[in-house]
Structure formats: C-alpha cells, structure tokens
Amino acid sequence: MSKRILVVAQHYWPENFRITDICKGFVDDGIEVDVLCGLPNYPKGEWFKGYRYTGPRREAHEGAEIFRSGEIRRKGNTSARIFLNYVSFPLFALFHLPRLWGRRYDAIFCYETSPVLMMLPAVWTSKFRRVPLTTYVLDLWPENLYAGLPIKNKAARALVTKVSHWFYRRSDKLIGVSPAMSEKLRAIAPKRRVETVPQYCEDLYAADVDDPALRERFAGAFNVLFAGNISPVQDLGLLVKCAKLLKQAGRADIRFILVGDGMSRAELEKQIADEDVRDWFVFEGQHPVTDIPAYHTMADALFASLAPSEDVGLTVPAKITSYMAAGRPILCCIDGEASRVVREAGCGYTGAAGDAQALYENLIRLAALPPNQRKELGEAGRRWYQAHYRRGPLLKELERIILNP
C-alpha cells in the first residue's frame, strides 16, 4: 500500500511557494498527498482569478488533492489585515478538518512559513489521530516576526515566544534549513528529533533561458535583478540608498530591476520618488515562476538582502539558492548563514545587512570586472548549487525524515 501524507501549508498553488513543487516530487515518487491550505491571495492580498471566499474549496493539482480552508485575505496589506490573515487560516482550518475524516495518513508534514500559527491544524490532527508530525521550519518564530515588526514590549515578546515554542514542541520531528537554525530548534525543543535539510532549488532555475526581446529591452546598462517578495524583511530601501550614491557619482549606467510584488512595494516606490532616483529603477511586477530564468539570464548580477537580525541570519533564503543555480554573480547585504555560503562558494560579493555603502562599493567593483571574471563568479555559484542544493537528493532526504520513525 502506498504511503499518504497530509501537508499543511497556508500558501499553495497558484501562489508561488516551493511547497507546491515539493508535493509534486512526493507524488512523482509514488506518495499520495493531501494538502490543507488557504485560498490564494498572496502577496497582493486580492483573490487570484477564479477564487473567492466561497471557493473553490476542493481541487487537484499535479496529483495532489487540495482541501482549501477559508481565510481573511490580506487586502491592502495593512498591519490589521495581515494580522487577521495570520489568525484566520489556522482557526478556520480547524473547522475543515472533518472533511479529512476517513482518509488514512502515515505522516503529517507542515511547511511552516510565517506565521507559526499555521501549525495549529497540523498539531491538532497529529494529536487526535496519533499521526507523527514533521515541521519544516522556513521562518523561525518569533525571530522572523521581530525582523519585520520590532516589538519592544517585554510582556508581548514573552507571550509570542511562549506560543511559538509551544508549537515547535508539539512536533515529533523538526527540520531546520541550516545547521545554525537546527541548533536553535534543539534548544527550543530538546526532546524532539531535529535534522537539517537546506531549501532546494527547482531544476528550472539552473537553465540559461535567452529571451532576445527581454535582452533588447534592458540593453545598454549594467542590470542588477531582484526577484521575489517585496516585504519589510527584504529591506529593499537599501537599493534606494545605493541609488542615491550612484546618482552622486554620476553612474547612470547601472539599473535595478525588480520582479515581484508585496506589501512594501508602494512604500518603496514612494522612497524612490522622494529621493528622485526613478531613473535607476524598473518595476516589472509579479511574474509566474517560469518567467524568472529568462530574467536571471538577462541580468548582470542578482541582488538579495535581509533586514539586520541575528536570528533571521540563521537561514539561507531560497532566493540565494535559485540565484546560485542561475549562474550569475550575486550581490547581497545579509548576515549569517547566507553571507557565509556566498563567501564560501566564491560566487559574488557580500556586505553586512543594512550597509548601503558596502553595497555601493561592491556593485561598483562588480561592474568594473571584465565579463569573463563575472562569468567565473556565476559558474562558481552554479557548482555550489550542484553540490548542495539540487532538488533530487534533498527531496529524498525530506521523504526519509517524514516517513521514517
């Protein structure tokens, strides 16, 4: 009899999260997959085409059976709406658990991005159906919360910490995305099994995709690409500060291209307008994941940053792994594990989180390199991806941890 996994994740196809590809991999390996998730509205906070609060509540995609819970959409991406979105999915999902009665599960797998509260239906099902729960911790709470929302009240911080740690201790197995995060999880839940599995990169990012029309659009400049969610944690205001330094230096030959959307886009565009550096920026908006390799191939460098935070530095963001696979030089302002990996791979230049001066200097340095040397940096990143972040081996490792006692 084939194994069956219940996957709990607030965000799923058609939203652009790696869990969709993970589930496809499970199915391809002969595992039956049910997914309990929310209704797609991330990152803009509007229902995706064909969806509304009333559904559809049951779908199938790439062999996985999808059971959708209600949730309050993030409309406007205000703090209040995001809070309501955070708490609505886990609470509403509890009322959808009876839809899963009669379906046998060998394991429960929670793909935990923010917030940690999304673990609630997974914990509940694990306890009452006596099925082992494995949680893949992508965003460590409460640390990830503080990176975007600097809560100072000691009582509030103590409560959030207690709640977050309670959830982690309810898992039978915890998976960290880096050795440093796994050590943190062992301190939080010393009685639980903790293992490390880096975020893999989908194979599509490792292909060069030349799009002549795209290349022609951006010809004549040194193009630095950011692809992903525009949120406070990404700290993209750094690019505005860097653009001011470029303007002062008369470097009109450098351009920042942003592919994506998110709650901080309007604020970022306002900063750009206020500082009068519009000529250094191009916003491409949200694109399907299949479009991103063409943007990577066109770019001269790929940019990533995270807000200054010791604990956010425990992760190597999926963005870094896809940038490495793309075979282009990386520019980043990140602390911790991600910075270490870029340095060890020798695939680009890294500065401290929040350091706009370092970003400017590294950018000028990279732009001055001969094309063959920039190519060598990109190839070093792709070799590191091949050695550490390929989909096949890491997917097998996830399956081993989830399904083995």
Side-chain angles (χ1 to χ4, degrees), residues 133-175:
L133 168 62
T134 300
T135 300
Y136 196 9
V137 182
L138 285 301
D139 293 342
L140 182 66
W141 270 55
E143 289 78 5
N144 194 270
L145 172 66
Y146 299 152
L149 184 64
I151 298 172
K152 301 299 182 182
N153 183 278
K154 291 183 179 180
R157 290 176 71 99
L159 177 61
V160 173
T161 299
K162 186 173 183 179
V163 170
S164 300
H165 291 186
W166 182 90
F167 275 109
Y168 292 133
R169 290 168 184 155
R170 301 285 81 74
S171 285
D172 298 280
K173 291 170 274 189
L174 294 162
I175 303 174

mmCIF file of all heavy atoms in Angstrom, residues 133-175:
data_model
loop_
_atom_site.group_PDB
_atom_site.id
_atom_site.type_symbol
_atom_site.label_atom_id
_atom_site.label_comp_id
_atom_site.label_asym_id
_atom_site.label_seq_id
_atom_site.Cartn_x
_atom_site.Cartn_y
_atom_site.Cartn_z
ATOM 1 N N LEU A 133 4.005 14.122 13.324
ATOM 2 C CA LEU A 133 4.083 15.429 12.668
ATOM 3 C C LEU A 133 5.536 15.842 12.484
ATOM 4 O O LEU A 133 6.317 15.846 13.441
ATOM 5 C CB LEU A 133 3.350 16.474 13.502
ATOM 6 C CG LEU A 133 3.567 17.954 13.123
ATOM 7 C CD1 LEU A 133 3.084 18.234 11.708
ATOM 8 C CD2 LEU A 133 2.863 18.874 14.126
ATOM 9 N N THR A 134 5.883 16.191 11.240
ATOM 10 C CA THR A 134 7.187 16.778 10.924
ATOM 11 C C THR A 134 6.963 18.206 10.466
ATOM 12 O O THR A 134 6.136 18.455 9.582
ATOM 13 C CB THR A 134 7.889 15.995 9.799
ATOM 14 O OG1 THR A 134 8.074 14.644 10.208
ATOM 15 C CG2 THR A 134 9.247 16.619 9.480
ATOM 16 N N THR A 135 7.688 19.151 11.049
ATOM 17 C CA THR A 135 7.564 20.555 10.668
ATOM 18 C C THR A 135 8.864 21.033 10.037
ATOM 19 O O THR A 135 9.936 20.915 10.639
ATOM 20 C CB THR A 135 7.225 21.434 11.883
ATOM 21 O OG1 THR A 135 5.972 21.003 12.439
ATOM 22 C CG2 THR A 135 7.102 22.902 11.481
ATOM 23 N N TYR A 136 8.743 21.539 8.828
ATOM 24 C CA TYR A 136 9.884 22.128 8.105
ATOM 25 C C TYR A 136 9.858 23.621 8.402
ATOM 26 O O TYR A 136 8.967 24.340 7.950
ATOM 27 C CB TYR A 136 9.709 21.855 6.615
ATOM 28 C CG TYR A 136 10.949 22.039 5.757
ATOM 29 C CD1 TYR A 136 12.211 22.248 6.290
ATOM 30 C CD2 TYR A 136 10.842 21.976 4.363
ATOM 31 C CE1 TYR A 136 13.324 22.384 5.492
ATOM 32 C CE2 TYR A 136 11.950 22.115 3.538
ATOM 33 C CZ TYR A 136 13.193 22.318 4.114
ATOM 34 O OH TYR A 136 14.294 22.463 3.301
ATOM 35 N N VAL A 137 10.817 24.101 9.183
ATOM 36 C CA VAL A 137 10.805 25.480 9.678
ATOM 37 C C VAL A 137 11.543 26.375 8.692
ATOM 38 O O VAL A 137 12.771 26.395 8.644
ATOM 39 C CB VAL A 137 11.436 25.566 11.083
ATOM 40 C CG1 VAL A 137 11.367 27.003 11.601
ATOM 41 C CG2 VAL A 137 10.721 24.616 12.046
ATOM 42 N N LEU A 138 10.786 27.108 7.903
ATOM 43 C CA LEU A 138 11.368 28.067 6.965
ATOM 44 C C LEU A 138 11.564 29.420 7.622
ATOM 45 O O LEU A 138 12.552 30.108 7.367
ATOM 46 C CB LEU A 138 10.475 28.211 5.730
ATOM 47 C CG LEU A 138 10.468 27.102 4.674
ATOM 48 C CD1 LEU A 138 11.836 26.871 4.104
ATOM 49 C CD2 LEU A 138 9.860 25.825 5.186
ATOM 50 N N ASP A 139 10.592 29.821 8.449
ATOM 51 C CA ASP A 139 10.646 31.096 9.180
ATOM 52 C C ASP A 139 10.596 30.782 10.668
ATOM 53 O O ASP A 139 9.567 30.329 11.176
ATOM 54 C CB ASP A 139 9.465 32.000 8.816
ATOM 55 C CG ASP A 139 9.515 32.492 7.376
ATOM 56 O OD1 ASP A 139 10.594 32.426 6.772
ATOM 57 O OD2 ASP A 139 8.474 32.943 6.876
ATOM 58 N N LEU A 140 11.698 31.000 11.361
ATOM 59 C CA LEU A 140 11.760 30.713 12.791
ATOM 60 C C LEU A 140 11.080 31.835 13.568
ATOM 61 O O LEU A 140 11.466 33.001 13.472
ATOM 62 C CB LEU A 140 13.216 30.568 13.230
ATOM 63 C CG LEU A 140 13.433 30.204 14.702
ATOM 64 C CD1 LEU A 140 12.889 28.805 14.989
ATOM 65 C CD2 LEU A 140 14.917 30.283 15.063
ATOM 66 N N TRP A 141 10.079 31.454 14.348
ATOM 67 C CA TRP A 141 9.346 32.434 15.174
ATOM 68 C C TRP A 141 9.757 32.282 16.632
ATOM 69 O O TRP A 141 10.075 31.178 17.079
ATOM 70 C CB TRP A 141 7.842 32.199 15.000
ATOM 71 C CG TRP A 141 7.282 32.992 13.866
ATOM 72 C CD1 TRP A 141 7.715 32.998 12.567
ATOM 73 C CD2 TRP A 141 6.202 33.914 13.913
ATOM 74 N NE1 TRP A 141 6.971 33.845 11.815
ATOM 75 C CE2 TRP A 141 6.020 34.421 12.612
ATOM 76 C CE3 TRP A 141 5.347 34.342 14.920
ATOM 77 C CZ2 TRP A 141 5.037 35.360 12.315
ATOM 78 C CZ3 TRP A 141 4.358 35.270 14.622
ATOM 79 C CH2 TRP A 141 4.224 35.775 13.330
ATOM 80 N N PRO A 142 9.769 33.408 17.390
ATOM 81 C CA PRO A 142 9.297 34.740 16.994
ATOM 82 C C PRO A 142 10.337 35.596 16.287
ATOM 83 O O PRO A 142 10.080 36.749 15.944
ATOM 84 C CB PRO A 142 8.936 35.369 18.342
ATOM 85 C CG PRO A 142 9.943 34.800 19.287
ATOM 86 C CD PRO A 142 10.144 33.378 18.830
ATOM 87 N N GLU A 143 11.533 35.063 16.046
ATOM 88 C CA GLU A 143 12.613 35.872 15.494
ATOM 89 C C GLU A 143 12.238 36.494 14.155
ATOM 90 O O GLU A 143 12.543 37.668 13.901
ATOM 91 C CB GLU A 143 13.876 35.016 15.352
ATOM 92 C CG GLU A 143 14.539 34.637 16.669
ATOM 93 C CD GLU A 143 13.848 33.495 17.394
ATOM 94 O OE1 GLU A 143 12.892 32.925 16.837
ATOM 95 O OE2 GLU A 143 14.279 33.171 18.517
ATOM 96 N N ASN A 144 11.591 35.719 13.277
ATOM 97 C CA ASN A 144 11.228 36.265 11.975
ATOM 98 C C ASN A 144 10.212 37.385 12.109
ATOM 99 O O ASN A 144 10.236 38.355 11.348
ATOM 100 C CB ASN A 144 10.684 35.148 11.082
ATOM 101 C CG ASN A 144 10.611 35.548 9.638
ATOM 102 O OD1 ASN A 144 9.594 36.069 9.184
ATOM 103 N ND2 ASN A 144 11.682 35.323 8.891
ATOM 104 N N LEU A 145 9.307 37.262 13.081
ATOM 105 C CA LEU A 145 8.330 38.327 13.328
ATOM 106 C C LEU A 145 9.023 39.620 13.711
ATOM 107 O O LEU A 145 8.700 40.692 13.199
ATOM 108 C CB LEU A 145 7.378 37.902 14.443
ATOM 109 C CG LEU A 145 6.412 38.973 14.962
ATOM 110 C CD1 LEU A 145 5.421 39.373 13.878
ATOM 111 C CD2 LEU A 145 5.674 38.478 16.203
ATOM 112 N N TYR A 146 10.014 39.539 14.595
ATOM 113 C CA TYR A 146 10.690 40.748 15.064
ATOM 114 C C TYR A 146 11.503 41.428 13.966
ATOM 115 O O TYR A 146 11.741 42.633 14.016
ATOM 116 C CB TYR A 146 11.615 40.411 16.239
ATOM 117 C CG TYR A 146 10.914 39.834 17.442
ATOM 118 C CD1 TYR A 146 11.587 38.980 18.313
ATOM 119 C CD2 TYR A 146 9.580 40.127 17.712
ATOM 120 C CE1 TYR A 146 10.949 38.441 19.418
ATOM 121 C CE2 TYR A 146 8.932 39.587 18.816
ATOM 122 C CZ TYR A 146 9.621 38.748 19.664
ATOM 123 O OH TYR A 146 8.997 38.216 20.757
ATOM 124 N N ALA A 147 11.938 40.666 12.971
ATOM 125 C CA ALA A 147 12.693 41.263 11.871
ATOM 126 C C ALA A 147 11.845 42.252 11.080
ATOM 127 O O ALA A 147 12.351 43.252 10.570
ATOM 128 C CB ALA A 147 13.227 40.178 10.945
ATOM 129 N N GLY A 148 10.544 41.978 10.961
ATOM 130 C CA GLY A 148 9.659 42.874 10.221
ATOM 131 C C GLY A 148 8.828 43.767 11.089
ATOM 132 O O GLY A 148 8.328 44.797 10.642
ATOM 133 N N LEU A 149 8.655 43.386 12.373
ATOM 134 C CA LEU A 149 7.824 44.146 13.299
ATOM 135 C C LEU A 149 8.556 44.201 14.632
ATOM 136 O O LEU A 149 8.404 43.314 15.472
ATOM 137 C CB LEU A 149 6.459 43.470 13.463
ATOM 138 C CG LEU A 149 5.421 44.182 14.319
ATOM 139 C CD1 LEU A 149 5.022 45.505 13.696
ATOM 140 C CD2 LEU A 149 4.184 43.295 14.504
ATOM 141 N N PRO A 150 9.369 45.233 14.857
ATOM 142 C CA PRO A 150 10.200 45.301 16.070
ATOM 143 C C PRO A 150 9.381 45.563 17.339
ATOM 144 O O PRO A 150 9.245 46.696 17.797
ATOM 145 C CB PRO A 150 11.164 46.452 15.776
ATOM 146 C CG PRO A 150 10.449 47.316 14.787
ATOM 147 C CD PRO A 150 9.593 46.384 13.960
ATOM 148 N N ILE A 151 8.825 44.502 17.898
ATOM 149 C CA ILE A 151 8.033 44.610 19.123
ATOM 150 C C ILE A 151 8.972 44.845 20.307
ATOM 151 O O ILE A 151 9.919 44.082 20.526
ATOM 152 C CB ILE A 151 7.211 43.320 19.338
ATOM 153 C CG1 ILE A 151 6.234 43.134 18.171
ATOM 154 C CG2 ILE A 151 6.462 43.365 20.658
ATOM 155 C CD1 ILE A 151 5.521 41.794 18.194
ATOM 156 N N LYS A 152 8.705 45.885 21.088
ATOM 157 C CA LYS A 152 9.567 46.241 22.210
ATOM 158 C C LYS A 152 8.980 45.846 23.554
ATOM 159 O O LYS A 152 9.710 45.659 24.527
ATOM 160 C CB LYS A 152 9.832 47.751 22.202
ATOM 161 C CG LYS A 152 10.496 48.271 20.932
ATOM 162 C CD LYS A 152 11.847 47.642 20.689
ATOM 163 C CE LYS A 152 12.523 48.214 19.442
ATOM 164 N NZ LYS A 152 13.819 47.556 19.177
ATOM 165 N N ASN A 153 7.654 45.728 23.636
ATOM 166 C CA ASN A 153 7.004 45.418 24.902
ATOM 167 C C ASN A 153 7.441 44.038 25.406
ATOM 168 O O ASN A 153 7.268 43.035 24.712
ATOM 169 C CB ASN A 153 5.479 45.465 24.713
ATOM 170 C CG ASN A 153 4.748 45.224 26.007
ATOM 171 O OD1 ASN A 153 4.574 44.090 26.417
ATOM 172 N ND2 ASN A 153 4.326 46.309 26.653
ATOM 173 N N LYS A 154 7.997 43.982 26.598
ATOM 174 C CA LYS A 154 8.554 42.734 27.121
ATOM 175 C C LYS A 154 7.484 41.674 27.335
ATOM 176 O O LYS A 154 7.700 40.490 27.060
ATOM 177 C CB LYS A 154 9.300 43.006 28.420
ATOM 178 C CG LYS A 154 10.588 43.798 28.244
ATOM 179 C CD LYS A 154 11.321 43.962 29.563
ATOM 180 C CE LYS A 154 12.628 44.734 29.370
ATOM 181 N NZ LYS A 154 13.353 44.896 30.667
ATOM 182 N N ALA A 155 6.312 42.094 27.817
ATOM 183 C CA ALA A 155 5.241 41.124 28.059
ATOM 184 C C ALA A 155 4.756 40.523 26.739
ATOM 185 O O ALA A 155 4.514 39.312 26.651
ATOM 186 C CB ALA A 155 4.090 41.800 28.804
ATOM 187 N N ALA A 156 4.637 41.385 25.719
ATOM 188 C CA ALA A 156 4.199 40.898 24.405
ATOM 189 C C ALA A 156 5.227 39.943 23.819
ATOM 190 O O ALA A 156 4.870 38.888 23.258
ATOM 191 C CB ALA A 156 3.952 42.070 23.466
ATOM 192 N N ARG A 157 6.491 40.281 23.947
ATOM 193 C CA ARG A 157 7.546 39.415 23.421
ATOM 194 C C ARG A 157 7.563 38.071 24.145
ATOM 195 O O ARG A 157 7.741 37.013 23.527
ATOM 196 C CB ARG A 157 8.909 40.106 23.531
ATOM 197 C CG ARG A 157 9.080 41.279 22.593
ATOM 198 C CD ARG A 157 10.415 41.981 22.828
ATOM 199 N NE ARG A 157 11.531 41.175 22.380
ATOM 200 C CZ ARG A 157 12.158 41.330 21.218
ATOM 201 N NH1 ARG A 157 11.738 42.258 20.357
ATOM 202 N NH2 ARG A 157 13.184 40.573 20.896
ATOM 203 N N ALA A 158 7.368 38.103 25.456
ATOM 204 C CA ALA A 158 7.358 36.861 26.229
ATOM 205 C C ALA A 158 6.202 35.962 25.799
ATOM 206 O O ALA A 158 6.366 34.741 25.674
ATOM 207 C CB ALA A 158 7.268 37.175 27.714
ATOM 208 N N LEU A 159 5.037 36.574 25.555
ATOM 209 C CA LEU A 159 3.873 35.795 25.136
ATOM 210 C C LEU A 159 4.093 35.172 23.764
ATOM 211 O O LEU A 159 3.819 33.981 23.561
ATOM 212 C CB LEU A 159 2.631 36.694 25.115
ATOM 213 C CG LEU A 159 1.338 36.030 24.620
ATOM 214 C CD1 LEU A 159 0.956 34.862 25.529
ATOM 215 C CD2 LEU A 159 0.211 37.057 24.534
ATOM 216 N N VAL A 160 4.595 35.976 22.811
ATOM 217 C CA VAL A 160 4.828 35.466 21.458
ATOM 218 C C VAL A 160 5.866 34.340 21.477
ATOM 219 O O VAL A 160 5.720 33.325 20.792
ATOM 220 C CB VAL A 160 5.274 36.611 20.519
ATOM 221 C CG1 VAL A 160 5.692 36.056 19.162
ATOM 222 C CG2 VAL A 160 4.155 37.630 20.348
ATOM 223 N N THR A 161 6.907 34.510 22.291
ATOM 224 C CA THR A 161 7.937 33.470 22.406
ATOM 225 C C THR A 161 7.351 32.186 22.971
ATOM 226 O O THR A 161 7.613 31.086 22.459
ATOM 227 C CB THR A 161 9.095 33.961 23.291
ATOM 228 O OG1 THR A 161 9.692 35.110 22.687
ATOM 229 C CG2 THR A 161 10.152 32.872 23.466
ATOM 230 N N LYS A 162 6.541 32.312 24.020
ATOM 231 C CA LYS A 162 5.954 31.135 24.650
ATOM 232 C C LYS A 162 5.050 30.382 23.672
ATOM 233 O O LYS A 162 5.105 29.145 23.574
ATOM 234 C CB LYS A 162 5.159 31.556 25.884
ATOM 235 C CG LYS A 162 4.632 30.382 26.690
ATOM 236 C CD LYS A 162 4.007 30.859 27.990
ATOM 237 C CE LYS A 162 3.538 29.665 28.828
ATOM 238 N NZ LYS A 162 2.952 30.096 30.125
ATOM 239 N N VAL A 163 4.225 31.123 22.936
ATOM 240 C CA VAL A 163 3.325 30.498 21.970
ATOM 241 C C VAL A 163 4.118 29.810 20.857
ATOM 242 O O VAL A 163 3.838 28.661 20.487
ATOM 243 C CB VAL A 163 2.356 31.538 21.378
ATOM 244 C CG1 VAL A 163 1.588 30.955 20.188
ATOM 245 C CG2 VAL A 163 1.380 32.029 22.441
ATOM 246 N N SER A 164 5.124 30.502 20.323
ATOM 247 C CA SER A 164 5.926 29.937 19.229
ATOM 248 C C SER A 164 6.609 28.647 19.662
ATOM 249 O O SER A 164 6.575 27.627 18.958
ATOM 250 C CB SER A 164 6.967 30.959 18.757
ATOM 251 O OG SER A 164 6.352 32.139 18.283
ATOM 252 N N HIS A 165 7.225 28.668 20.841
ATOM 253 C CA HIS A 165 7.942 27.490 21.313
ATOM 254 C C HIS A 165 6.982 26.344 21.626
ATOM 255 O O HIS A 165 7.335 25.165 21.438
ATOM 256 C CB HIS A 165 8.784 27.853 22.538
ATOM 257 C CG HIS A 165 9.939 28.748 22.218
ATOM 258 N ND1 HIS A 165 10.894 29.110 23.148
ATOM 259 C CD2 HIS A 165 10.301 29.367 21.053
ATOM 260 C CE1 HIS A 165 11.790 29.908 22.574
ATOM 261 N NE2 HIS A 165 11.452 30.077 21.309
ATOM 262 N N TRP A 166 5.777 26.676 22.086
ATOM 263 C CA TRP A 166 4.781 25.638 22.334
ATOM 264 C C TRP A 166 4.477 24.870 21.050
ATOM 265 O O TRP A 166 4.411 23.638 21.054
ATOM 266 C CB TRP A 166 3.500 26.272 22.881
ATOM 267 C CG TRP A 166 2.434 25.270 23.216
ATOM 268 C CD1 TRP A 166 2.244 24.650 24.416
ATOM 269 C CD2 TRP A 166 1.420 24.755 22.338
ATOM 270 N NE1 TRP A 166 1.181 23.776 24.346
ATOM 271 C CE2 TRP A 166 0.653 23.823 23.086
ATOM 272 C CE3 TRP A 166 1.079 24.988 21.006
ATOM 273 C CZ2 TRP A 166 -0.428 23.134 22.537
ATOM 274 C CZ3 TRP A 166 0.012 24.296 20.452
ATOM 275 C CH2 TRP A 166 -0.733 23.389 21.211
ATOM 276 N N PHE A 167 4.320 25.589 19.959
ATOM 277 C CA PHE A 167 4.035 24.928 18.687
ATOM 278 C C PHE A 167 5.185 24.022 18.264
ATOM 279 O O PHE A 167 4.972 22.865 17.870
ATOM 280 C CB PHE A 167 3.748 25.965 17.595
ATOM 281 C CG PHE A 167 2.319 26.428 17.559
ATOM 282 C CD1 PHE A 167 1.979 27.702 17.967
ATOM 283 C CD2 PHE A 167 1.312 25.589 17.120
ATOM 284 C CE1 PHE A 167 0.663 28.139 17.938
ATOM 285 C CE2 PHE A 167 -0.004 26.009 17.081
ATOM 286 C CZ PHE A 167 -0.338 27.291 17.492
ATOM 287 N N TYR A 168 6.419 24.519 18.334
ATOM 288 C CA TYR A 168 7.545 23.697 17.902
ATOM 289 C C TYR A 168 7.665 22.423 18.742
ATOM 290 O O TYR A 168 8.019 21.356 18.216
ATOM 291 C CB TYR A 168 8.844 24.504 17.955
ATOM 292 C CG TYR A 168 8.901 25.613 16.925
ATOM 293 C CD1 TYR A 168 9.309 26.898 17.277
ATOM 294 C CD2 TYR A 168 8.530 25.384 15.608
ATOM 295 C CE1 TYR A 168 9.358 27.917 16.335
ATOM 296 C CE2 TYR A 168 8.572 26.394 14.665
ATOM 297 C CZ TYR A 168 8.983 27.664 15.030
ATOM 298 O OH TYR A 168 9.015 28.672 14.094
ATOM 299 N N ARG A 169 7.369 22.522 20.016
ATOM 300 C CA ARG A 169 7.476 21.357 20.897
ATOM 301 C C ARG A 169 6.367 20.337 20.665
ATOM 302 O O ARG A 169 6.431 19.226 21.184
ATOM 303 C CB ARG A 169 7.478 21.819 22.358
ATOM 304 C CG ARG A 169 8.766 22.547 22.747
ATOM 305 C CD ARG A 169 8.646 23.245 24.069
ATOM 306 N NE ARG A 169 9.866 24.014 24.364
ATOM 307 C CZ ARG A 169 9.917 25.069 25.171
ATOM 308 N NH1 ARG A 169 8.798 25.482 25.776
ATOM 309 N NH2 ARG A 169 11.043 25.713 25.367
ATOM 310 N N ARG A 170 5.358 20.698 19.904
ATOM 311 C CA ARG A 170 4.274 19.759 19.594
ATOM 312 C C ARG A 170 4.625 18.872 18.395
ATOM 313 O O ARG A 170 3.919 17.917 18.109
ATOM 314 C CB ARG A 170 2.971 20.515 19.289
ATOM 315 C CG ARG A 170 2.469 21.414 20.412
ATOM 316 C CD ARG A 170 1.842 20.673 21.575
ATOM 317 N NE ARG A 170 2.740 20.120 22.545
ATOM 318 C CZ ARG A 170 3.427 20.837 23.463
ATOM 319 N NH1 ARG A 170 3.328 22.159 23.522
ATOM 320 N NH2 ARG A 170 4.193 20.243 24.322
ATOM 321 N N SER A 171 5.687 19.201 17.667
ATOM 322 C CA SER A 171 6.114 18.384 16.524
ATOM 323 C C SER A 171 6.914 17.189 17.004
ATOM 324 O O SER A 171 7.681 17.287 17.971
ATOM 325 C CB SER A 171 6.966 19.204 15.559
ATOM 326 O OG SER A 171 6.188 20.080 14.806
ATOM 327 N N ASP A 172 6.766 16.061 16.322
ATOM 328 C CA ASP A 172 7.608 14.905 16.608
ATOM 329 C C ASP A 172 9.003 15.105 16.036
ATOM 330 O O ASP A 172 9.997 14.679 16.619
ATOM 331 C CB ASP A 172 6.977 13.645 16.018
ATOM 332 C CG ASP A 172 5.621 13.350 16.630
ATOM 333 O OD1 ASP A 172 5.579 12.798 17.736
ATOM 334 O OD2 ASP A 172 4.605 13.713 16.004
ATOM 335 N N LYS A 173 9.056 15.746 14.847
ATOM 336 C CA LYS A 173 10.332 15.993 14.181
ATOM 337 C C LYS A 173 10.340 17.422 13.648
ATOM 338 O O LYS A 173 9.330 17.910 13.149
ATOM 339 C CB LYS A 173 10.544 14.999 13.032
ATOM 340 C CG LYS A 173 10.768 13.566 13.495
ATOM 341 C CD LYS A 173 10.721 12.559 12.349
ATOM 342 C CE LYS A 173 9.304 12.128 12.061
ATOM 343 N NZ LYS A 173 9.241 11.002 11.100
ATOM 344 N N LEU A 174 11.491 18.064 13.769
ATOM 345 C CA LEU A 174 11.675 19.421 13.260
ATOM 346 C C LEU A 174 12.821 19.417 12.260
ATOM 347 O O LEU A 174 13.850 18.758 12.473
ATOM 348 C CB LEU A 174 11.993 20.397 14.398
ATOM 349 C CG LEU A 174 10.880 20.636 15.421
ATOM 350 C CD1 LEU A 174 11.454 21.255 16.691
ATOM 351 C CD2 LEU A 174 9.803 21.544 14.841
ATOM 352 N N ILE A 175 12.644 20.162 11.172
ATOM 353 C CA ILE A 175 13.686 20.265 10.158
ATOM 354 C C ILE A 175 14.087 21.732 10.037
ATOM 355 O O ILE A 175 13.248 22.600 9.754
ATOM 356 C CB ILE A 175 13.202 19.761 8.790
ATOM 357 C CG1 ILE A 175 12.709 18.316 8.887
ATOM 358 C CG2 ILE A 175 14.330 19.864 7.757
ATOM 359 C CD1 ILE A 175 12.090 17.797 7.598
#
